């Protein structure tokens, strides 16, 4: 099936936000996007409208479209929602009728550890988000999985704006402890480890100073 230019733009911008390449406050100029993706401005506008619905793009009168800049309250709400959803996912996985295959999670943890050790922060960020999405898929609730995909993307936007530069925001050792508790079918331990882990992520957020967008738009976009 042919992918439309609008969907290509949407996917690229969402991936770039999730990878923390595209920071809050970045201007998404219609002309620039039409040149980057070799499409017309009507298609760009449709893509931006879709992204507005995802709450990651905002339109400012007489200025254009920008990646949303989350407020501190909005950021706290995202983390609170993540906790509610991910604790439920842990319960679903731990209490599933058949013990899930945890190999993909362990493979992801090993890859994340290698990325952190080699200083490849973009790859570590991508893999840490992937861990949560793999776990959500094991929970076998498509609604929670879809919501978590959006929330982890918005978390990346928050961390890209307010997070630190040098450390992975999502420690692989935290992930390993979560999986160990799930393998033991210990719901309370898994939820406790997840709660602690999400608090570690939120603790990395520093609202005292936001980082400004840098670089040309074409260099910030992730292409599938």
């Amino acid at each position: 099936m042919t992918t439309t230019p609008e969907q290509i733009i949407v996917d690229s911008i969402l991936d770039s936000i999730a990878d923390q390449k595209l920071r809050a406050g970045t201007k998404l100029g219609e002309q620039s996007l039409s040149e980057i993706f070799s499409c017309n401005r009507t298609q760009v506008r449709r893509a931006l409208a879709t992204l507005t619905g995802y709450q990651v793009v905002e339109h400012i009168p007489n200025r254009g479209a920008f990646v949303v800049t989350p407020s501190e309250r909005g950021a706290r709400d995202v983390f609170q929602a993540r906790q509610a959803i991910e604790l439920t996912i842990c319960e679903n996985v731990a209490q599933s009728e058949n013990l899930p295959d945890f190999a993909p999670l362990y493979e992801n943890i090993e890859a994340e550890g290698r990325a952190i050790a080699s200083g490849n922060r973009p790859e570590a960020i991508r893999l840490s988000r992937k861990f949560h999405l793999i776990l959500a898929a094991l929970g076998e609730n498509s609604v929670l999985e879809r919501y978590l995909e959006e929330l982890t993307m918005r978390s990346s936007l928050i961390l890209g704006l307010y997070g630190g530069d040098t450390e992975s925001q999502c420690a692989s050792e935290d992930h390993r402890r979560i999986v160990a508790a799930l393998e033991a079918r210990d719901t309370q331990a898994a939820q406790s480890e997840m709660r602690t882990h999400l608090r570690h992520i939120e603790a990395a957020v520093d609202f005292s100073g936001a980082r400004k967008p840098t670089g040309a738009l074409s260099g910030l976009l992730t292409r599938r």
Side-chain angles (χ1 to χ4, degrees):
M1 185 173 69
T2 303
T3 304
T4 65
E6 293 94 321
Q7 192 59 51
I8 292 172
I9 296 170
V10 168
D11 289 342
S12 179
I13 290 175
L14 291 180
D15 286 347
S16 301
I17 289 171
D19 292 344
Q20 293 183 24
K21 293 180 180 179
L22 202 58
R23 292 181 181 173
T26 302
K27 184 170 184 178
L28 302 172
E30 290 182 8
Q31 185 60 39
S32 295
L33 289 171
S34 67
E35 292 173 358
I36 292 167
F37 292 98
S38 301
C39 63
N40 61 55
R41 294 179 68 159
T42 299
Q43 292 166 320
V44 170
R45 291 188 194 104
R46 285 199 290 261
L48 293 174
T50 298
L51 291 162
T52 301
Y54 290 151
Q55 300 182 53
V56 295
V57 168
E58 62 182 343
H59 290 265
I60 300 177
N62 302 318
R63 291 187 59 198
F66 295 80
V67 178
V68 164
T69 299
S71 65
E72 179 174 353
R73 174 58 187 273
R76 300 294 185 196
D77 287 348
V78 167
F79 289 121
Q80 185 179 52
R82 276 195 66 173
Q83 183 171 138
I85 287 175
E86 298 208 60
L87 295 187
T88 301
I89 288 171
C90 283
E91 181 179 3
N92 289 348
V93 173
Q95 297 183 5
S96 58
E97 183 176 351
N98 299 309
L99 191 66
D101 178 11
F102 293 108
L105 286 172
Y106 279 121
E107 290 170 5
N108 194 83
I109 290 169
E110 293 301 324
E112 182 186 3
R114 290 192 297 271
I116 293 170
S118 66
N120 189 342
R121 187 170 183 269
E123 180 69 359
I125 290 168
R126 186 187 68 80
L127 289 166
S128 73
R129 179 175 183 251
K130 185 179 178 181
F131 171 88
H132 293 270
L133 298 181
I134 294 172
L135 184 58
L138 294 180
E140 297 185 334
N141 183 316
S142 60
V143 176
L144 293 180
E145 188 177 353
R146 187 168 64 252
Y147 283 145
L148 186 62
E149 184 174 8
E150 177 184 335
L151 288 170
T152 54
M153 178 181 58
R154 292 173 67 182
S155 296
S156 293
L157 180 57
I158 293 162
L159 292 166
L161 180 64
Y162 299 114
D165 283 313
T166 58
E167 297 183 45
S168 169
Q169 307 293 348
C170 210
S172 58
E173 287 307 309
D174 283 1
H175 289 164
R176 196 177 298 278
R177 286 190 289 270
I178 292 167
V179 179
L182 291 171
E183 280 191 303
R185 290 187 177 273
D186 189 334
T187 301
Q188 289 188 342
Q191 290 180 324
S192 177
E193 293 292 352
M194 179 63 79
R195 189 180 292 110
T196 298
H197 173 53
L198 293 174
R199 286 173 179 166
H200 286 165
I201 299 174
E202 188 171 1
V205 177
D206 178 9
F207 291 105
S208 63
R211 294 183 295 182
K212 295 181 179 179
T214 57
L217 184 58
S218 58
L220 302 175
L221 292 171
T222 298
R223 301 296 294 270
R224 293 186 181 182

